[in-house]
Amino acid sequence: MAGGPRLDEARFRFSQALNEGAAGPHDLFRLLAQLGFGYTYFRQQALAQAGYYILAARDGISQWPSGQSWELEMQLFVLLAHAELLCAQGYWRQARVIAADGLERLNAGNSMFIMERLIFVRARAALGAGDTEQGRCELESALFIAKVRRHPHMEARINALLQTLDQSDRETE
């Protein structure tokens, strides 16, 4: 629902999960609801509200007892959401730092989970900061990983940004 046109209904469902009496501070569904709220606001370009919920989720995951089987994946989702938010706000350096943190966690966990998405955010941050060469390099890396992992949606997003860069280069020549 949050990815489609029914954002109000998605927000209502997330609200139910957050306000349910049984949900405790270390409840996975509570964390997912916070991220979901942040995502719905992000999609509506309400970045302050998105930031509130994304940062609440980041704070929540940092206080969880470690050793959960899904801990790394949830940390990565939260870091990705935070980096995306920072890119949307124009905080390129901070977005790159958070994306790099996610990539380091992937490396330490010997995982490729959402790697292409983190590299894509890092590329967008580099481009936003004016580092076109680094941004292109990051995009090519993300595209390679997306192809290997067979993620056509990410391939399309990356290719669209590469085409925009190519068109911009042709216009400046």
Side-chain angles (χ1 to χ4, degrees):
M1 260 184 261
R6 299 170 19 193
L7 291 177
D8 289 334
E9 186 176 347
R11 197 172 295 128
F12 173 74
R13 302 248 180 184
F14 291 135
S15 175
Q16 285 178 316
L18 278 176
N19 296 317
E20 186 176 290
H26 300 300
D27 186 321
L28 177 62
F29 295 110
R30 181 177 187 77
L31 180 67
L32 289 171
Q34 286 173 321
L35 278 176
F37 257 122
Y39 180 67
T40 60
Y41 283 117
F42 184 82
R43 291 220 23 241
Q44 291 179 320
Q45 300 298 314
L47 300 182
Q49 292 94 332
Y52 174 80
Y53 288 104
I54 290 169
L55 292 176
R58 185 164 184 191
D59 184 51
I61 194 72
S62 71
Q63 296 176 20
W64 282 49
S66 56
Q68 304 291 331
S69 60
W70 42 263
E71 182 179 8
L72 176 63
E73 288 84 1
M74 286 308 300
Q75 288 173 348
L76 292 169
F77 277 134
V78 170
L79 290 172
L80 178 62
H82 193 192
E84 289 274 8
L85 175 68
L86 290 169
C87 269
Q89 293 172 324
Y91 298 120
W92 313 117
R93 185 180 173 285
Q94 295 96 323
R96 289 184 81 183
V97 167
I98 288 176
D101 181 27
L103 290 168
E104 286 177 24
R105 290 174 194 227
L106 282 173
N107 189 39
N110 201 20
S111 173
M112 289 184 66
F113 180 72
I114 68 170
M115 180 182 281
E116 67 279 6
R117 285 178 163 84
L118 289 166
I119 294 172
F120 181 67
V121 170
R122 201 166 66 174
R124 285 185 26 230
L127 293 169
D131 192 348
T132 307
E133 187 176 325
Q134 181 65 36
R136 247 185 220 287
C137 181
E138 300 273 7
L139 286 172
E140 294 294 337
S141 298
L143 183 60
F144 174 78
I145 293 168
K147 285 179 179 180
V148 167
R149 297 194 63 215
R150 296 185 182 122
H151 286 162
H153 173 73
M154 280 306 298
E155 283 184 56
R157 285 180 67 191
I158 296 164
N159 278 323
L161 188 51
L162 283 168
Q163 288 174 355
T164 301
L165 287 174
D166 290 343
Q167 184 178 10
S168 177
D169 287 348
R170 284 190 294 272
E171 290 172 0
T172 58
E173 289 179 349

